[in-house]
Amino acid sequence: MITSFHPPIRTLMGPGPSDVSPRVLEAMARPTIGHLDPEFVRMMDEIKELLKKAFKTENELTMPVSAPGSAGMEACFVNLVEPGDKVIVCQNGVFGGRMKENVERAGGEAVMVMDAWGSAVSLDKVAAAFDAHPDAAILAFVHAETSTGVSSDAKALCALAQERGALTIVDAVTSLGGTELRVDEWGIDAIYSGTQKCLSCAPGISPISLSAKAVDKVKNRTASVQSWFLDTNLVMGYWGGEGKRAYHHTAPVNALYALHESLVILHEEGIEKSWQRHAFHHQALKAGLEAMGIGFLVDEANRLPQLNSVIIPEGVDDAKVRSTLLSEYGLEIGAGLGDLAGKVWRIGLMGSSANRRNVTLCLSALESTLLGMGASVKAGKALQAAEQVYLQAS
Amino acid sequence: MITSFHPPIRTLMGPGPSDVSPRVLEAMARPTIGHLDPEFVRMMDEIKELLKKAFKTENELTMPVSAPGSAGMEACFVNLVEPGDKVIVCQNGVFGGRMKENVERAGGEAVMVMDAWGSAVSLDKVAAAFDAHPDAAILAFVHAETSTGVSSDAKALCALAQERGALTIVDAVTSLGGTELRVDEWGIDAIYSGTQKCLSCAPGISPISLSAKAVDKVKNRTASVQSWFLDTNLVMGYWGGEGKRAYHHTAPVNALYALHESLVILHEEGIEKSWQRHAFHHQALKAGLEAMGIGFLVDEANRLPQLNSVIIPEGVDDAKVRSTLLSEYGLEIGAGLGDLAGKVWRIGLMGSSANRRNVTLCLSALESTLLGMGASVKAGKALQAAEQVYLQAS
């Protein structure tokens, strides 16, 4: 007989989901109302307003896709990529590879610009790709690579695409709310994110935003968008404009209560303050890890504060460390993906997980666990180093 | 300044979402854990078991799609329909039309079998379509049409498809948990449902199940599935088999807590008992409405107990009645869709909404509201008629 599920209490410092605020969990548990209820429609308008502020955009087509980030990615590609379109896709981790899949399944041609996992997207290589393919319609890249913890220069990449007359599709799943992101100022044409990273909301929803130029391309397509569920021409009948909403699909009512609350929390803090907080706790975590003798995969200049890929000390049993942290401390950190499996851990400081308590717990639990396994890390230095960062700030 | 959203309290008797049990809301608000956490993976296995029992199937590929019913529909079509496939699509309401869109966007050819809105799918017409198109690869139909409240004979339609060597795709969004449904016994090859109807869970997730024959067709496709997000070949790396799970997308953790709890509740009651409960409260609602002089759109033989399309009395202002019920009684009933807009109301008795309190509230509030507007309905008879049904049962 299967009975009710009661999850264990975890501290989520992996690549997402991050710790969800009790305020968000409580909002999600409020009584369900109809997806066409006037009060719900009013809340939808508020979500759009809050998302515009979070993305720093005035784009009318700014809305949450009713499915996880992977569907937000697919929404951008299936709407913007027409059969035969050439798309320059930058790959420097897992998610660039997924973009390639999306381009090809939408009937486009992916021109790949490859960089090493852990490196930022190379502007020179992208410029060369445009030289070789002046007819490229779209440039697609990942702003914050969750698989490696590297940040790429979205502003410069978008400027380059504009010079070459191409639209941009930007993966901001891990950047939104955690690091500087300015959709209108940088001229991003299509962007998607997720709720479970720096917004600290439950996973399952993907905020997207399309510029007027991007919307024009979708409206002027010759072929239908291949996905009915993700066709923005149809979805905007429900999410678009003011007043009357046409039924498209049944919105995930309670998940949207949660998104609303997480955005209210973000704006209470202020988006720039949230960026600063992520950077600040990253400094403390970094000081502690380095004092322990643990290094980073990514160069300091391109490092994401919210996703720390750190090198697993030699001879250490990756899986055993992670399972000990989980079972003994209720602490989740992430494994490496692909070629980085067994080589790095991914320590997230996302959203409400970016706080002093989590940094301290992570450093302490990791040090104890590694020492307990006889790993050659420096003992007794990490907390003091982190503490220095916090003291200097106060 | 936008602040936290506090929804009004509603009684949900529209076409879905239905009233969500406090147990489900509470489950959804439990702390988020990682989507690869061993405890979460254990819960996923339980969800699969519970869904198999709900669908009455042993299909290994039985899982919840991380998005609403419309995405579950799309998952079935994009996986099973290959470019050039001929699909017989039965349309007797909104959702048959959506199936046609799905077939065409997947590169298939839709052969339409049209029946009037409110009529069941005609077996004779389907047989004739197979005669005219013996190469049809798939038969697709809606078991319980949410737009009209009609039930079609899924068992007979599947038997017919099997005789003709075609696979079946069945829309069970509104039937699962509410009326008889036997996936294996009836030989359904692909089926999708939603959480927000007779499972009385929050909207946002779509349970699906594919037979071994359907899985074979997907595995032997020549072209890739056009959706990366919905490609069952990939999704099953996360949901399939026992033990190790490969990351595909981040599962909507809390929404799955909710689905788990709603399925536990369903099986505590027993699925056959749930079907009986829906039929029983429908009898009471029907007796009350008819005593008031309000008739049904659908013939008694094909009427869904969980979705009652009733004829709006002549001269009555449809929208005014619905908005009065909402504002004065917190009661939501549904409007008609398409050609039925302004002609019918759709009164749902789905999941936990199918109870005596709701039936009584609906009859009382509707009678008062209609009389208050001077509509020519019979006064003072409805409650007594419903009461008779309840008394006979006790």
Side-chain angles (χ1 to χ4, degrees), chain A residues 87-372:
Chain A
V87 183
I88 297 176
V89 174
C90 307
Q91 183 174 359
N92 60 340
V94 167
F95 296 94
R98 193 170 291 188
M99 284 177 154
K100 176 174 186 280
E101 281 283 341
N102 271 273
V103 169
E104 289 170 355
R105 289 177 191 227
E109 182 192 336
V111 174
M112 300 305 292
V113 171
M114 306 297 285
D115 279 292
W117 285 42
S119 295
V121 171
S122 155
L123 279 163
D124 291 343
K125 287 188 191 171
V126 173
F130 272 117
D131 290 342
H133 303 276
D135 56 336
I138 297 170
L139 171 67
F141 65 90
V142 178
H143 182 210
E145 240 307 340
T146 322
S147 62
T148 67
V150 77
S151 176
S152 290
D153 188 343
K155 186 180 178 181
L157 287 163
C158 289
L160 182 55
Q162 279 175 325
E163 277 171 37
R164 307 301 181 105
L167 297 177
T168 43
I169 298 179
V170 179
D171 179 323
V173 170
T174 288
S175 56
L176 181 66
T179 36
E180 188 178 9
L181 175 63
R182 300 176 188 277
V183 168
D184 285 0
E185 198 179 313
W186 296 353
I188 294 171
D189 291 300
I191 191 165
Y192 55 90
S193 189
T195 46
Q196 79 282 14
K197 311 279 186 181
C198 297
L199 298 182
S200 269
C201 184
I205 302 291
S206 176
I208 64 169
S209 184
L210 265 64
S211 71
K213 267 197 292 180
V215 171
D216 275 352
K217 187 168 198 301
V218 182
K219 284 194 175 152
N220 293 310
R221 289 176 63 102
T222 46
S224 293
V225 174
Q226 68 193 32
S227 170
W228 186 91
F229 175 58
L230 299 172
D231 185 340
T232 54
N233 292 312
L234 303 177
V235 181
M236 283 304 278
Y238 179 56
W239 275 96
E242 305 296 316
K244 195 168 160 55
R245 309 298 171 120
Y247 164 63
H248 174 258
H249 65 275
T250 303
V253 173
N254 295 68
L256 293 172
Y257 293 168
L259 173 59
H260 184 279
E261 187 68 16
S262 71
L263 291 167
V264 167
I265 293 172
L266 177 69
H267 293 303
E268 281 173 2
E269 177 176 21
I271 184 126
E272 286 84 357
K273 288 236 173 82
S274 177
W275 300 342
Q276 288 160 16
R277 176 170 51 81
H278 283 85
F280 176 53
H281 292 289
H282 161 75
Q283 287 304 327
L285 180 72
K286 168 179 169 279
L289 290 168
E290 288 177 346
M292 226 187 287
I294 292 177
F296 281 73
L297 173 74
V298 175
D299 282 350
E300 192 153 4
N302 301 313
R303 214 173 271 168
L304 288 169
Q306 65 272 48
L307 199 287
N308 299 270
S309 281
V310 301
I311 311 292
I312 300 176
E314 225 161 302
V316 166
D317 182 338
D318 165 30
K320 197 171 165 199
V321 170
R322 286 185 291 108
S323 71
T324 302
L325 291 174
L326 198 67
S327 60
E328 298 300 314
Y329 301 89
L331 174 64
E332 178 177 279
I333 66 170
L337 290 178
D339 286 349
L340 295 175
K343 294 180 185 155
V344 303
W345 290 312
R346 291 180 297 154
I347 303 177
L349 284 173
M350 295 176 177
S352 62
S353 291
N355 67 58
R356 189 167 177 172
R357 188 187 30 152
N358 279 19
V359 168
T360 305
L361 171 67
C362 179
L363 290 172
S364 318
L366 192 59
E367 180 175 317
S368 296
T369 302
L370 287 171
L371 290 174

Side-chain angles (χ1 to χ4, degrees), chain B residues 222-300:
Chain B
T222 46
S224 293
V225 174
Q226 66 193 33
S227 170
W228 186 91
F229 174 59
L230 299 173
D231 185 341
T232 54
N233 292 312
L234 303 176
V235 181
M236 283 304 278
Y238 179 57
W239 274 97
E242 304 297 314
K244 197 168 160 52
R245 308 298 171 121
Y247 164 63
H248 175 258
H249 66 275
T250 303
V253 174
N254 296 70
L256 292 173
Y257 294 169
L259 174 59
H260 183 280
E261 187 68 17
S262 72
L263 291 168
V264 166
I265 293 171
L266 176 69
H267 293 304
E268 281 174 1
E269 177 176 21
I271 184 124
E272 285 84 359
K273 288 235 174 85
S274 177
W275 299 342
Q276 288 159 16
R277 176 170 52 82
H278 283 84
F280 176 52
H281 293 289
H282 160 76
Q283 286 304 326
L285 179 72
K286 169 179 169 279
L289 289 168
E290 288 178 345
M292 227 187 287
I294 293 178
F296 280 72
L297 173 73
V298 175
D299 282 350
E300 192 153 5

Side-chain angles (χ1 to χ4, degrees), chain A residues 10 37 74 105 227 229, chain B residues 4 10 37 74 227 229 231:
Chain A
R10 304 295 196 208
D37 193 298
E74 192 157 319
R105 289 177 191 227
S227 170
F229 175 58
Chain B
S4 298
R10 303 294 197 209
D37 193 297
E74 192 157 319
S227 170
F229 174 59
D231 185 341

Side-chain angles (χ1 to χ4, degrees), chain B residues 287-322:
Chain B
L289 289 168
E290 288 178 345
M292 227 187 287
I294 293 178
F296 280 72
L297 173 73
V298 175
D299 282 350
E300 192 153 5
N302 302 312
R303 215 173 271 170
L304 287 169
Q306 66 270 49
L307 199 287
N308 298 270
S309 281
V310 301
I311 310 292
I312 300 176
E314 225 160 303
V316 165
D317 182 339
D318 164 30
K320 197 170 165 199
V321 170
R322 284 185 293 107

Side-chain angles (χ1 to χ4, degrees), chain B residues 158-159 162 166-168 182-190 211 213:
Chain B
C158 290
Q162 279 175 325
L167 296 177
T168 43
R182 301 176 187 277
V183 169
D184 286 359
E185 198 180 314
W186 296 353
I188 294 171
D189 291 301
S211 72
K213 266 196 293 181

